[in-house]
Amino acid sequence: MTDQAQSPEDEVPAKPTSASRTTLSHIMTGSDTNLLGTVHGGVIMKLVDDAAGAVAGRHSGGPAVTASMDEMVFLEPVRVGDLVHVRAQVNWTGRSSMEVGVRVMAERWNESTPAQQVGSAYLVFAAVDEEGKPRRVPHVVPETERDERRYQEAQIRRTHRLARRRAIKELRDRRTAEGITD
């Protein structure tokens, strides 16, 4: 398992992935539908952000704000009457940021069939203090092989996010230097 050593300036002890893992469940109703009669993707995205926010707040021990949402994937439509379970956990932590992985499951509320995965997403949260300034978060300690895999995959996603941000900034700076404005 990944073991992140605590440096002397760390003021918060590390936490295992299980410490903040949560599931949010909600029955989908007619008010959640889109023009096609299935549940609106924005409704699912709000549930995803709510569950991820709860996990980020629990893990960091205080307020955390959504910084980005990566790879929101809708695998199957969600229908009125589905019982949706949004499962979230911290996959990776930095100094003040956390990646939260979310899996969206759905089952018919009146059937005993197993829930099926209907979506997934990765969100990055930043822990903030009372003035909205970044604050330190506890390191996350993977507990299982699955947690370790998620931790390693989150590091790859972070590397890609930072590289993409750098490349876009360089492109914009080059265009500005050439006198091209959008």
Side-chain angles (χ1 to χ4, degrees):
M1 298 293 151
T2 300
D3 184 38
Q4 295 181 341
Q6 294 278 69
S7 62
E9 70 270 6
D10 285 340
E11 35 260 12
V12 288
K15 289 183 176 179
T17 51
S18 62
S20 55
R21 190 178 289 141
T22 195
T23 300
L24 175 79
S25 297
H26 189 77
I27 294 178
M28 298 292 106
T29 66
S31 64
D32 298 319
T33 60
N34 58 27
L35 295 175
L36 298 175
T38 56
V39 172
H40 194 288
V43 171
I44 300 300
M45 290 174 75
K46 181 176 182 337
L47 293 173
V48 164
D49 191 45
D50 287 347
V55 165
R58 278 181 174 182
H59 184 82
S60 69
V65 295
T66 310
S68 70
M69 178 183 272
D70 287 353
E71 301 179 39
M72 180 71 214
V73 178
F74 297 99
L75 301 169
E76 297 288 335
V78 177
R79 300 168 293 163
V80 170
D82 281 355
L83 179 56
V84 172
H85 307 286
V86 183
R87 298 180 180 147
Q89 78 170 47
V90 173
N91 289 336
W92 176 90
T93 53
R95 182 173 161 25
S96 61
S97 64
M98 302 157 274
E99 183 195 89
V100 178
V102 181
R103 178 171 290 162
V104 183
M105 309 293 289
E107 62 181 305
R108 296 305 292 170
W109 69 272
N110 60 348
E111 297 175 7
S112 59
T113 55
Q116 75 175 77
Q117 185 173 354
V118 295
S120 65
Y122 300 101
L123 296 87
V124 177
F125 280 79
V128 294
D129 64 17
E130 308 78 43
E131 285 118 34
K133 305 261 192 257
R135 62 181 175 78
R136 291 187 80 68
V137 298
H139 292 296
V140 68
V141 179
E143 296 174 280
T144 66
E145 288 301 320
R146 176 182 260 182
D147 293 341
E148 180 65 28
R149 176 187 53 79
R150 288 177 177 167
Y151 183 90
Q152 291 171 352
E153 290 172 357
Q155 288 178 304
I156 293 168
R157 282 187 292 276
R158 180 176 187 273
T159 299
H160 288 183
R161 273 191 301 275
L162 294 175
R164 183 176 61 235
R165 185 180 305 151
R166 249 188 329 273
I168 290 170
K169 182 182 181 328
E170 288 170 7
L171 175 64
R172 289 179 179 174
D173 290 348
R174 221 175 17 257
R175 290 176 58 84
T176 299
E178 294 169 0
I180 302 170
T181 59
D182 298 345

